[in-house]
Amino acid sequence: ASPEVVLEAPWGEGGLARETVAAQTGPMAIAVDSAERLLVLDTVAGRLHRYDGQGERESFELGVETGDALAVRPDGSFAVLAYERLPAPHHLVLTYGAEGSLLDRRPAPQAATLPTGLLADGEQLLVEQRHRRLLPTDGSPHRWGRPTGELLLRVRLTEERALVVAARTRGGQLAWETLVAAPWPVTEVLALEACDAFVAVVVRRVEPAPEEGEPSTQQTLLVALDRAGEPFARLEVRDSRVTDAGRPFALGPSGDVYELVTAEGGARVLRYRYLGGER
């Protein structure tokens, strides 16, 4: 499918912030709330921007040194996983109301020594550790996989670099496990998302440069599985960024796929319409 551009922003004043000294940091994450509004974590500027369907923007000062991950809760409130260097390096989870006011500020769970994401399960927030365990910020037991409705989801690569997606019930029973045959050996898994309609996994293949001095090539696919674990579609996404991003893909509640891409001239968010927008 050909995506449509839902956000186009230059670098700098009136757009989004980018760091080019010592790092290539730009917008770190995107998310979509229950009203299909797009949220962008503008980490270099220390802000979160929320865009409605007409392109109007609300901006909220986060008051953090570095925002690494973003989660949205059903009531429109949102949370940011932040990193601070002083007095000693540590991570925080900050929760903001739908209007941007700070509601809660607490340390990330101690077991999250290498946090790789932040998720919301209803009102509960969970910090992902090394793309595997999910650690609730309220101190309750860790989760086996990413919560989505009545299921918990996990993905892994086999020795042959094929993809295995598994789902368990909230009670811990295996609901299904599916081996997904990509058209090539998978180098890495970039995202695992789910909505009411389907489960989406984004995978990348990197082909080394044929000769020294030439660039490597890559191909990135989104594979869609229905809620029973059966693959039914795949989509080639752009996967093109000149800046680092922790969560460049998001899945809207209606099944639309959003992708952050960045170039020297600025940033864009693309939307791939589920069923062409006809539901």
Side-chain angles (χ1 to χ4, degrees):
S2 297
E4 60 182 337
V5 178
V6 295
L7 172 64
E8 192 159 16
W11 301 124
E13 189 67 29
L16 299 171
R18 176 188 178 188
E19 186 179 82
T20 57
V21 178
Q24 294 293 330
T25 306
M28 191 55 64
I30 61 173
V32 181
D33 67 12
S34 58
E36 293 279 356
R37 295 178 297 185
L38 173 68
L39 286 80
V40 179
L41 179 57
D42 191 4
T43 188
V44 175
R47 295 178 178 177
L48 181 130
H49 306 294
R50 186 170 62 202
Y51 301 84
D52 64 18
Q54 286 70 48
E56 295 296 320
R57 181 171 90 171
E58 297 177 277
S59 298
F60 309 104
E61 295 285 345
L62 298 176
V64 299
E65 183 178 345
T66 301
D68 287 341
L70 170 67
V72 185
R73 301 197 294 191
D75 62 359
S77 60
F78 57 90
V80 173
L81 178 67
Y83 172 79
E84 292 189 344
R85 292 176 295 171
L86 300 174
H90 61 286
H91 284 87
L92 299 169
V93 177
L94 298 99
T95 307
Y96 302 83
E99 75 293 342
S101 61
L102 181 63
L103 301 179
D104 187 55
R105 175 188 176 99
R106 66 178 65 190
Q110 288 187 347
T113 55
L114 185 63
T116 51
L118 181 67
L119 293 93
D121 183 23
E123 295 301 303
Q124 190 179 50
L125 296 169
L126 307 100
V127 178
E128 185 182 60
Q129 165 69 358
R130 294 178 179 267
H131 299 289
R132 300 290 287 179
R133 285 196 306 162
L134 287 151
L135 309 167
T137 59
D138 59 11
S140 56
H142 76 266
R143 305 290 187 87
W144 173 84
R146 290 185 166 223
T148 169
E150 74 284 1
L151 297 177
L152 305 177
L153 299 171
R154 182 182 281 190
V155 61
R156 63 179 174 85
L157 294 177
T158 68
E159 292 184 359
E160 294 76 25
R161 312 304 290 178
L163 194 69
V164 176
V165 185
R168 289 186 181 180
T169 66
R170 297 274 179 159
Q173 292 78 30
L174 181 67
W176 48 262
E177 184 172 273
T178 301
L179 176 67
V180 179
W184 24 253
V186 175
T187 303
E188 60 183 318
V189 178
L190 300 182
L192 174 63
E193 303 282 345
C195 63
D196 290 342
F198 63 91
V199 175
V201 187
V202 182
V203 295
R204 176 195 287 162
R205 175 196 67 159
V206 178
E207 191 71 29
E211 295 183 14
E212 186 176 352
E214 294 187 6
S216 60
T217 59
Q218 68 183 40
Q219 188 175 2
T220 306
L221 292 178
L222 181 147
V223 180
L225 303 89
D226 65 24
R227 298 286 297 193
E230 290 296 322
F232 70 88
R234 69 186 188 193
L235 169 72
E236 186 166 359
V237 294
R238 302 295 173 86
D239 193 20
S240 175
R241 285 170 294 282
V242 298
T243 57
D244 296 330
R247 188 186 178 190
F249 299 96
L251 191 59
S254 60
D256 291 350
V257 176
Y258 295 77
E259 179 184 14
L260 170 70
V261 298
T262 62
E264 294 300 331
R268 293 186 299 163
V269 175
L270 310 177
R271 177 169 65 180
Y272 305 84
R273 302 302 303 271
Y274 176 54
L275 302 180
E278 298 295 332
R279 300 178 180 85

